[in-house]
Amino acid sequence: MAAPMEVALVTGDQLQQKIICPGLVTCLTASPNGLYILAGIAESIYLWEVSSGNLLAILNRHYQDLTCLCFTDDSSHFLSGGKDCLVLVWNLYSTLQVEHSQIPEPRHVWSRHSLPITDLCCGFGGPLARAATASLDQTVKLWEISSGELLLSVLFDVGIMAVTLDLSEYHMFCGGMDGSIFQVDLCAWPVQRDRAFHSERENGKIFRGHRNQVTCLSVSTDGSLLLSGSHDETVRLWDIQSKQCLRTVNHKGPVTNAFIALAPANMFNPDSKPAVPLPKFSKHLHGTESSEDQGAEGVTLRLGLHQGLGRATWKRLNGCTRRCARRGKR
């Protein structure tokens, strides 16, 4: 069994919280609304609530280790991919409504890849968004989350390690094991569900410069810049229109993740501190902890479920109910 692993949440130079996990964490993500954290540990998905630290669910539907996780932009759904070649689409609300004794069911199971999943990417639109999946089987597939339908499958000459979409979703960028980055036009005519990307014929749509596999990709909000990280120990910033590398940042080891994000207003303020401290993250499913692990007071609200009412709070609510009932009889 894998040794426990620590996950640290850091703000600036300050360590906010350290989570002791039951095994090796292979992938990690946070919901865009900041309310939840997902971690892939072996073949299981662990879901924590950030505000309370409660472990809300442990999902076991993959047959091999998890490789990637991602949320939709509205945090209503999340996707999981693994070495078992499967991509599962989960409805967060439905997952949290299921009792701990029951096994949550994913909304969709996508099994069209033949080798391990390497990356996932969701577009805009929440449950109506499109999602891209990359695999070592040398294909990238585009899906519709609402129906689960396969919209597009693109075959490359090499295994694909990273995938992303620009904000307009006109283009899809795919990072290969050989260091190449391929630009796929999603509005190309004629429309074909199964396509092959021929490097010789589409040389003008390839970013060349990395000397090892591309591990991550991110597009700027205006769609003009592409950021890429690689096992060649560099991060590169590209001009998408010209395919020219504008800047190279060297690191002392393989780059595993990099992305472009809007800077918060107080990011460069040295005196800024987190407004709300993070609680201690639980090691046990919410509702199964011992009485010592649970807080004595407080109210926890999540997606319509009212759980964890403290005894004092419950007495106050119960007292109000009885008083209202007596007034009604009068």
Side-chain angles (χ1 to χ4, degrees):
M1 184 175 66
M5 184 175 182
E6 297 179 353
V7 175
L9 303 181
V10 181
T11 303
D13 296 329
Q14 299 176 346
L15 176 64
Q16 279 232 55
Q17 185 58 268
K18 185 185 294 184
I19 309 171
I20 307 299
C21 298
L24 182 66
V25 177
T26 55
C27 47
L28 184 73
T29 191
S31 61
N33 60 16
L35 299 181
Y36 303 97
I37 288 179
L38 285 174
I41 302 174
E43 69 276 3
S44 302
I45 304 171
Y46 285 68
L47 172 62
W48 280 280
E49 185 179 45
V50 174
S51 62
S52 66
N54 289 331
L55 178 59
L56 303 181
I58 302 176
L59 309 175
N60 297 286
R61 282 301 305 267
H62 282 277
Y63 304 104
Q64 295 185 45
D65 290 356
L66 272 292
T67 56
C68 42
L69 293 162
C70 74
F71 274 95
T72 56
D73 63 313
D74 67 344
S75 304
S76 67
H77 290 70
F78 62 91
L79 280 65
S80 61
K83 292 182 178 180
D84 56 5
C85 315
L86 297 178
V87 176
L88 307 183
V89 181
W90 303 86
N91 183 308
L92 179 61
Y93 179 81
S94 299
T95 299
L96 296 179
Q97 297 299 313
V98 175
E99 297 294 333
H100 293 313
S101 59
Q102 299 177 344
I103 301 176
E105 292 290 332
R107 180 173 178 179
H108 300 300
V109 177
W110 294 334
S111 57
R112 301 290 290 271
H113 285 289
S114 57
L115 286 175
I117 309 301
T118 54
D119 199 15
L120 302 169
C121 174
C122 287
F124 282 88
L128 302 178
R130 299 185 295 179
T133 61
S135 170
L136 291 178
D137 64 6
Q138 302 185 5
T139 67
V140 171
K141 300 183 187 296
L142 192 66
W143 310 80
E144 185 178 63
I145 292 180
S146 59
S147 66
E149 181 183 355
L150 176 63
L151 303 176
L152 175 67
S153 180
V154 184
L155 176 64
F156 297 88
D157 298 330
V158 296
I160 302 299
M161 303 301 298
V163 63
T164 193
L165 300 163
D166 62 7
L167 294 188
S168 63
E169 298 186 25
Y170 282 173
H171 302 104
M172 184 166 62
F173 300 91
C174 311
M177 293 189 68
D178 64 348
S180 300
I181 303 171
F182 310 101
Q183 177 181 312
V184 178
D185 296 333
L186 298 180
C187 299
W189 187 264
V191 177
Q192 296 175 305
R193 196 178 76 166
D194 295 294
R195 292 162 53 180
F197 190 98
H198 299 286
S199 300
E200 300 81 9
R201 286 186 295 177
E202 303 186 76
N203 188 55
K205 298 178 182 178
I206 302 178
F207 300 79
R208 302 183 186 276
H210 284 298
R211 302 181 304 277
N212 206 331
Q213 66 183 43
V214 177
T215 56
C216 49
L217 295 167
S218 181
V219 181
S220 63
T221 54
D222 63 358
S224 64
L225 300 174
L226 175 68
L227 185 74
S228 62
S230 170
H231 275 190
D232 66 6
E233 304 182 0
T234 67
V235 170
R236 292 176 179 264
L237 187 66
W238 309 82
D239 177 73
I240 290 179
Q241 184 172 5
S242 66
K243 307 296 184 292
Q244 296 297 311
C245 180
L246 304 178
R247 185 178 179 185
T248 301
V249 179
N250 294 302
H251 289 265
K252 296 181 180 180
V255 178
T256 57
N257 202 2
F259 57 91
I260 299 173
L262 295 176
N266 63 345
M267 180 176 178
F268 301 105
N269 182 4
D271 298 325
S272 65
K273 295 182 179 180
V276 180
L278 289 174
K280 181 179 179 180
F281 276 57
S282 174
K283 302 177 184 178
H284 308 283
L285 282 173
H286 181 50
T288 63
E289 302 95 329
S290 63
S291 58
E292 293 85 5
D293 294 334
Q294 295 183 0
E297 304 290 341
V299 180
T300 299
L301 305 179
R302 59 180 178 87
L303 293 178
L305 289 182
H306 301 262
Q307 300 186 358
L309 286 175
R311 286 189 291 273
T313 305
W314 176 253
K315 289 178 182 177
R316 288 196 296 270
L317 292 176
N318 217 11
C320 290
T321 303
R322 288 195 296 269
R323 287 195 297 271
C324 290
R326 286 197 296 268
R327 291 170 185 168
K329 289 181 180 179
R330 293 172 188 171

